[in-house]
Amino acid sequence: MAEKTITIKATRFDPDKDSAPRLQSYDIPFTDEAMVVLDALNYIKAHVDGSLSYRWSCRMGICGSCGMMVNGTPKLSCSAFLRDYWPKPVTVQPLNNFPIIRDLVIDMEDFMHKLKSVQPWIIRKQELPLGAGEHRQTTAQIDEFKQFSQCINCMLCYSACPVYGLNNEFLGPAAIALARRYNLDSRDQGLTKRLPVIADSEGVWECSFVGECSVVCPKGVDPAKAIQQTKLDTTLRFTLPFGNRD
Amino acid sequence: MLVIGGGLAGIRAAIAAVEANPRITVGMVSKVYPMRSHTVSAEGGAAAVLRPEDSYETHAFDTIKGSDYLADQDVVEAFVREAPIEVIQMEHWGCPWSRDPDGKISARPFGGMTTWRTCFAADKTGFHMLHTVFQTSLKYEQIHRHDEVFVTKLLVEDERCIGVVAFDQRSGRFDAITAKATILATGGLGRIYAFTTNGNICTGDGMALAYRAGVGLKDMEMVQFHPTGLPFTGILITEAVRGEGGYLTNKNGDRFLKDYVPNKMELGPRDIISRAMITEFDAGRGFEGPHGKYMNLDVRHLGEEVIDRKLPFMRELGREFVGIDIVNEPIPVRPVMHYMMGGVDADISGATPLLGLYAAGECANVGLNGGNRLGSNSLSECLVFGAASGRAAAEHASTAKAVTANPVDAMLWDEARRVESAYLEKTGGDEKIGTIREEMQRDMDAGAGVFRTKEGLQKLTDQLGGLRERFERIKVEDSSRTFNTELTAALELDFMLEISQTIVASALAREESRGAHARKDFPERNDEKYLKHTVALSRGPEDPRPRLEYRDVRITNFKPQARVY
Amino acid sequence: MKAPAQAARAEPRAYRWTMPANWWTRNRHYFLYTVREFTALPMALWLLWLLYDIKSAGAGAANFQPPRSAAFIAFSAVCFLFATYHSYTFLKLAGVIMHVKVLDKTVPPRAIIITMFGLWALATVVIGAVLIGFAR
């Protein structure tokens, strides 16, 4: 009985040799129904073409390294099962909307700057001393921001967002979701410090609610919700009397 | 100063250093972006004495007994006192610890712990802790990150460590980064084994770097196998599943642990439970699956509400990777390589015998975990010893002599040439990196697994020697300078082949069974001869086999007893 | 001894990404989003025509000829469908956008959506009644 195979078409690009990315085709054995696109890439690298470069680490959907376009949709390659595509070929490309460094590796420095710009840490007017123990916080208070704290920084949302693709200045879904995570944390008092960045024309107001970010998010963070809620909150702060409190 | 590695221990060390001395600059060098560090996959929790009914003494005793009395007791006693402070510090930095109804940090039962002291953030504790420290570290301007920079060698001059040689993966450019103090926080080495919970990046880099610089690797034979990994992928199913009340059952539906750890049952220590499962497999009482034998981990009796509140990530993993809903079906699990108790020889403040070099986290062995680590001690360990080494390194750096440029340029030149000629300019060769790596992993699984024998270990020594020879003849297909992951794979394999020899040699020499090291030919513990740490030292690049020394375990208040649960 | 090749190595040039002009055809969600945004244009044109009509009607009831051509009715029908589609999607998303708390408990999204649609229906009836009443 013939061995089952599957075709992987992967983007190749070496800035020292290539002027533009191109697709290269590989046929590999499809030996187990549990195989994912990442397994296919690992097989190619170990047994067929050692020069294929891509990022990966945990293989369980929590580190966020392995984001790629799989047949035109941003996915974590460790969670994209080959059985969902077989027998058709699988096209694997670097994430849309980012500069390509090499093969399937994109430049994510822009996100790192944007993450820092929203000040994603607890800001307090007065630090509680360690000896005083923990801030009291209830499960209900955690539920307020829990969803937005699940972000693994995988960048699939930036890749899905046409606004970010057309305008790289846009702050972006993940950064805004993380800003909201801290704004809603009962221990944080830093909302006014974050507002200039998130309530900016390149912040939440650049978003036109396409909603694709939330569709592709592998952790259910729903960044579209975070952005729209932030729009409403910042508007109410601005318009309501006594809305602009700390 | 420098921190190599951007996981929980590394980032904690960097923050501790700049808080101790705001005028210091800390370079944080990581081969991946810090949020990718393998801390992110930790699930269960971080142990700390926070409740009034708990005591430092019980936490210390649980840890020491859990270590099969190989732990240095003074280190354990200091650790249990620092852990609660670190948990509160994490809370202040925003870590979303799960809470009790009164709003205080909650705790859950865990393996080998006599009381509930494992603080948790649902079942993604490592994820939340890593993102908390990483995002907090962004507010310190003194911490300069060098992301996706791969360290190939420690710089040593006049018997002190003065920094590292590393290359930027993006541009391929080599640089010497000098520092008056360097902390290794590079994590574990799970990828030496075929079946492991560890991610791709866990290749023991820091251990190999220290070993090559003449620092000893302590207790390398102590490799922890976690009882509950998913077959095929090796993805971790957290001990918290058992902590919340899950049952382990064999083919006959029996909770077989009643024959091994009757008083603790599913909450026994990991080494004993893993051995129990293998023993049951050998007796034919395991399930047979397409990916090997397994046992059932059953949480159906906990109910959907508890599972969704306490174990939501497990439900997600079950659905995604096994196609089951753990609310209605048992989880297939088998023992999987998970953690390295062994590591770089470091003391209570993280200092290694090499002046200017420190180590913290999983890559270090400060003497806390001995022969077997209790679950939820590792996340606390990263915080406590990350902070301790950060402060110690900062203090050392503030008084140490400056590093002079002269010999550094020559050393950088040499190292860059070494890597270029060995890999990037290599022609010919007929061995594939992937093939050698896979063989090493299979051989380690077979020869240095849960149960070891003299024959198995000797065979493994020869196999590793053969693989090392074949490694010299690898074919490198990628000569690009830009993000060359074949180069990093080759360098990592080079590290792994070297330190795997220390694991095998240490295991061969320890002719007893203690903690996670189980010898079929020496099934008893021998305190007279082996109440000592094994220290493996390099004999230099020509001889792959280490020189072994022994060092007494430090006993303070707890005399070694029989380890029964 | 040969110098390391990296001595004068500059940062390699990354390949710049550009959005393809047909990006909005590549994905069903993108297409529906573009349609939704596009509905604003014909609706704006229809409303401009309405303003013009109101102005003409102000000149005198005798001269006023409300448009009756088939083309205009067809255009109005299309605009009506667009308006309904736009309102429907917007009101459905209200459950996502609005984070309302009553007495410390978060109002579930379904309740918000039903309330919004309810208010929409009410407004339609009220405005319709007013217009028809004035027309009499």
Side-chain angles (χ1 to χ4, degrees):
Chain A
M1 186 168 102
E3 200 182 49
K4 203 155 89 164
T5 62
I6 190 166
T7 304
I8 307 286
K9 295 187 189 163
T11 300
R12 305 307 311 274
F13 172 67
D14 183 345
D16 290 332
K17 301 193 189 95
D18 301 313
S19 55
R22 57 188 166 84
L23 279 178
Q24 189 165 345
S25 214
Y26 303 95
D27 285 326
I28 58 149
F30 181 13
T31 49
D32 195 303
E33 287 303 298
M35 273 175 81
V36 288
V37 171
L38 178 61
D39 291 329
L41 296 175
N42 283 339
Y43 182 90
I44 294 169
K45 191 169 179 69
H47 300 288
V48 182
D49 182 351
S51 67
L52 180 62
S53 279
Y54 49 96
R55 292 188 175 112
W56 73 286
S57 182
C58 74
R59 56 86 169 87
M60 57 192 272
I62 194 74
C63 72
S65 309
C66 67
M68 296 171 204
M69 304 302 287
V70 179
N71 282 3
T73 305
K75 277 191 173 279
L76 296 179
S77 65
C78 67
S79 316
F81 287 87
L82 291 179
R83 59 178 184 248
D84 294 335
Y85 303 98
W86 187 83
K88 296 217 178 79
V90 183
T91 304
V92 187
Q93 293 162 298
L95 284 180
N96 282 351
N97 304 344
F98 290 96
I100 305 173
I101 296 176
R102 166 87 196 268
D103 293 352
L104 297 164
V105 179
I106 50 95
D107 182 351
M108 48 183 277
E109 281 298 301
D110 185 42
F111 172 71
M112 300 306 285
H113 289 130
K114 290 182 169 148
L115 176 63
K116 185 169 169 170
S117 74
V118 303
Q119 300 181 74
W121 50 79
I122 295 286
I123 297 172
R124 286 189 70 81
K125 293 202 218 12
Q126 185 85 312
E127 290 286 341
L128 201 63
L130 283 179
E134 66 264 52
H135 300 94
R136 297 295 178 106
Q137 188 174 56
T138 61
T139 306
Q141 286 173 315
I142 296 179
D143 285 344
E144 286 285 294
F145 68 87
K146 189 157 98 164
Q147 189 178 13
F148 305 132
S149 72
Q150 303 296 311
C151 176
I152 61 175
N153 302 165
C154 65
M155 241 56 46
L156 299 192
C157 54
Y158 282 74
S159 194
C161 177
V163 176
Y164 183 67
L166 292 163
N167 172 20
N168 253 158
E169 298 297 319
F170 176 38
L171 188 54
I176 299 174
L178 281 166
R180 188 158 176 80
R181 170 255 180 279
Y182 281 96
N183 286 340
L184 290 177
D185 192 326
S186 58
R187 301 167 288 189
D188 179 81
Q189 295 165 334
L191 175 65
T192 45
K193 297 217 159 59
R194 297 190 187 99
L195 275 181
V197 172
I198 52 180
D200 186 76
S201 56
E202 298 290 4
V204 292
W205 298 108
E206 185 68 3
C207 167
S208 55
F209 205 169
V210 178
E212 194 66 2
C213 54
S214 295
V215 172
V216 302
C217 175
K219 297 320 239 180
V221 174
D222 204 346
K225 177 165 90 174
I227 299 173
Q228 312 320 312
Q229 287 182 350
T230 305
K231 284 181 188 169
L232 193 60
D233 280 354
T234 51
T235 308
L236 288 173
R237 273 185 75 92
F238 186 71
T239 53
L240 288 180
F242 306 114
N244 207 15
R245 316 170 300 288
D246 261 345
Chain B
M1 55 173 262
L2 276 182
V3 176
I4 313 298
L8 186 60
I11 302 176
R12 183 68 190 91
I15 297 177
V18 304
E19 292 205 321
N21 179 0
R23 287 189 343 265
I24 201 171
T25 23
V26 178
M28 195 155 78
V29 180
S30 171
K31 67 180 180 182
V32 291
Y33 280 98
M35 346 40 119
R36 319 302 188 205
S37 304
H38 206 58
T39 308
V40 80
S41 66
E43 296 162 354
V49 174
L50 281 177
R51 302 179 156 214
E53 64 266 22
D54 199 357
S55 73
Y56 295 137
E57 201 185 318
T58 8
H59 190 185
F61 175 67
D62 288 346
T63 303
I64 291 165
K65 180 178 172 186
S67 77
D68 218 346
Y69 297 93
L70 196 64
D72 286 325
Q73 297 183 7
D74 54 339
V75 173
V76 178
E77 287 174 337
F79 163 75
V80 300
R81 281 167 174 75
E82 288 287 316
I85 304 173
E86 289 296 324
V87 168
I88 301 295
Q89 177 64 270
M90 289 293 292
E91 196 276 335
H92 284 196
W93 284 337
C95 185
W97 295 115
S98 293
R99 305 285 177 147
D100 280 341
D102 64 357
K104 297 190 84 166
I105 297 174
S106 198
R108 57 162 47 130
F110 231 68
M113 301 287 188
T114 46
T115 179
W116 296 26
R117 63 171 72 95
T118 297
C119 307
F120 58 101
D123 54 355
K124 277 181 169 168
T125 311
F127 163 78
H128 284 294
M129 287 173 82
L130 180 64
H131 281 249
T132 301
V133 283
F134 173 62
Q135 285 162 12
T136 302
S137 75
L138 294 175
K139 72 179 182 190
Y140 297 92
E141 294 300 328
Q142 310 96 313
I143 301 179
H144 298 170
R145 285 205 333 273
H146 302 258
D147 294 324
E148 297 194 316
V149 172
F150 191 103
V151 175
T152 62
K153 194 179 160 112
L154 292 179
L155 286 170
V156 179
E157 195 221 352
D158 274 346
E159 292 179 356
R160 76 169 175 144
C161 177
I162 53 171
V164 299
V165 175
F167 69 92
D168 173 7
Q169 291 190 61
R170 181 169 174 166
S171 65
R173 198 192 147 78
F174 275 85
D175 267 314
I177 315 177
T178 53
K180 297 193 226 167
T182 304
I183 305 179
L184 292 170
T186 54
L189 46 60
R191 285 278 150 170
I192 289 183
Y193 287 83
F195 191 57
T196 176
T197 61
N198 288 194
N200 179 45
I201 56 176
C202 304
T203 49
D205 296 3
M207 296 183 207
L209 292 170
Y211 184 68
R212 288 176 178 180
V215 178
L217 296 180
K218 206 158 68 182
D219 298 334
M220 291 300 280
E221 65 272 36
M222 301 303 179
V223 177
Q224 184 170 76
F225 292 84
H226 193 290
T228 57
L230 289 177
F232 183 65
T233 52
I235 290 173
L236 177 67
I237 295 296
T238 177
E239 188 160 292
V241 171
R242 287 173 281 136
E244 295 299 330
Y247 298 148
L248 267 173
T249 51
N250 63 16
K251 197 169 74 174
N252 303 330
D254 292 329
R255 283 176 69 191
F256 56 92
L257 290 173
K258 61 184 184 322
D259 297 327
Y260 301 88
V261 277
N263 293 328
K264 298 289 281 179
M265 293 296 283
E266 279 80 7
L267 286 179
R270 291 171 178 181
D271 55 337
I272 299 184
I273 296 188
S274 291
R275 280 196 289 273
M277 290 169 81
I278 302 288
T279 309
E280 291 283 303
F281 287 159
D282 289 342
R285 291 192 284 271
F287 293 91
E288 292 280 350
H291 302 122
K293 301 198 171 98
Y294 64 91
M295 292 296 184
N296 270 350
L297 179 56
D298 203 341
V299 287
R300 289 174 292 186
H301 55 284
L302 296 182
E304 187 166 8
E305 202 257 320
V306 170
I307 291 174
D308 279 342
R309 194 163 31 93
K310 296 279 190 70
L311 305 170
F313 189 35
M314 297 303 110
R315 195 171 182 191
E316 224 181 280
L317 290 173
R319 223 177 240 143
E320 177 126 27
F321 292 100
V322 196
I324 60 165
D325 188 347
I326 67 175
V327 168
N328 302 317
E329 295 168 75
I331 316 169
V333 291
R334 50 180 285 116
V336 58
M337 188 277 167
H338 178 61
Y339 178 85
M340 191 53 178
M341 273 74 70
V344 178
D345 182 14
D347 70 13
I348 198 173
S349 63
T352 68
L354 180 60
L355 189 66
L357 185 67
Y358 297 78
E362 189 174 345
C363 79
N365 182 339
V366 297
L368 176 70
N369 300 307
N372 172 65
R373 174 176 73 76
L374 291 186
S376 72
N377 264 351
S378 178
L379 288 174
S380 304
E381 174 187 8
C382 290
L383 292 174
V384 170
F385 295 102
S389 60
R391 290 178 205 126
E395 199 186 310
H396 175 81
S398 62
T399 55
K401 222 167 53 171
V403 176
T404 50
N406 209 325
V408 173
D409 289 338
M411 289 192 266
L412 165 61
W413 189 282
D414 283 341
E415 177 64 5
R417 280 306 306 152
R418 176 187 79 85
V419 174
E420 279 171 5
S421 52
Y423 302 107
L424 292 168
E425 293 162 7
K426 189 175 210 283
T427 49
D430 54 356
E431 294 280 355
K432 284 198 180 299
I433 294 171
T435 311
I436 297 179
R437 185 177 59 231
E438 282 165 20
E439 277 189 44
M440 169 192 71
Q441 289 169 337
R442 278 198 298 271
D443 294 343
M444 286 296 289
D445 261 10
V450 173
F451 285 106
R452 293 124 182 224
T453 62
K454 183 169 177 173
E455 294 72 39
L457 290 166
Q458 276 171 341
K459 179 175 170 195
L460 182 53
T461 313
D462 295 333
Q463 285 169 324
L464 289 173
L467 288 170
R468 166 57 73 184
E469 275 168 33
R470 287 166 58 194
F471 180 74
E472 303 304 322
R473 302 196 310 268
I474 51 166
K475 184 171 165 51
V476 177
E477 292 172 16
D478 193 354
S479 58
S480 169
R481 292 286 165 153
T482 310
F483 222 95
N484 186 335
T485 50
E486 199 183 27
L487 172 62
T488 49
L491 290 166
E492 286 165 349
L493 182 56
D494 184 27
F495 289 153
M496 288 195 281
L497 283 171
E498 184 145 13
I499 51 179
S500 55
Q501 292 278 16
T502 63
I503 298 177
V504 182
S506 304
L508 249 179
R510 184 176 288 272
E511 291 179 339
E512 63 154 1
S513 287
R514 181 186 297 266
H517 172 68
R519 289 280 296 259
K520 282 202 159 132
D521 43 353
F522 294 96
E524 299 302 321
R525 194 176 90 193
N526 184 342
D527 283 348
E528 265 175 46
K529 217 173 154 207
Y530 288 108
L531 195 55
K532 297 174 197 292
H533 297 292
T534 318
V535 181
L537 294 142
S538 173
R539 275 192 242 253
E542 299 309 308
D543 191 345
R545 300 197 204 178
R547 177 169 59 84
L548 298 178
E549 283 178 5
Y550 287 89
R551 193 183 304 157
D552 285 333
V553 170
R554 290 196 298 278
I555 312 277
T556 54
N557 293 318
F558 304 95
K559 291 191 75 62
Q561 303 160 8
R563 184 168 170 248
V564 180
Y565 288 92
Chain C
M1 168 119 172
K2 189 174 163 193
Q6 55 90 50
R9 185 163 175 78
E11 193 86 358
R13 282 190 55 227
Y15 182 76
R16 270 194 66 81
W17 162 267
T18 45
M19 279 283 268
N22 64 347
W23 66 267
W24 54 279
T25 59
R26 290 185 163 198
N27 176 319
R28 188 169 161 266
H29 297 145
Y30 287 167
F31 182 72
L32 289 174
Y33 157 77
T34 309
V35 167
R36 187 187 92 204
E37 297 297 293
F38 172 76
T39 59
L41 189 59
M43 278 168 57
L45 288 172
W46 194 92
L47 287 167
L48 279 173
W49 186 270
L50 181 65
L51 281 174
Y52 172 73
D53 257 1
I54 292 172
K55 182 171 178 292
S56 333
N63 291 331
F64 179 61
Q65 279 281 4
R68 280 219 178 90
S69 65
F72 186 76
I73 291 173
F75 179 60
S76 302
V78 167
C79 285
F80 178 71
L81 283 170
F82 276 165
T84 314
Y85 175 60
H86 197 126
S87 304
Y88 175 73
T89 50
F90 186 76
L91 291 179
K92 255 191 91 174
L93 291 171
V96 167
I97 300 169
M98 295 176 71
H99 184 226
V100 181
K101 296 185 77 155
V102 174
L103 298 174
D104 260 8
K105 281 182 83 90
T106 312
V107 178
R110 280 189 70 87
I112 295 177
I113 294 171
I114 291 172
T115 312
M116 288 289 128
F117 273 99
L119 288 172
W120 185 41
L122 186 64
T124 309
V125 166
V126 165
I127 294 172
V130 163
L131 287 175
I132 294 170
F134 269 106
R136 295 241 166 131

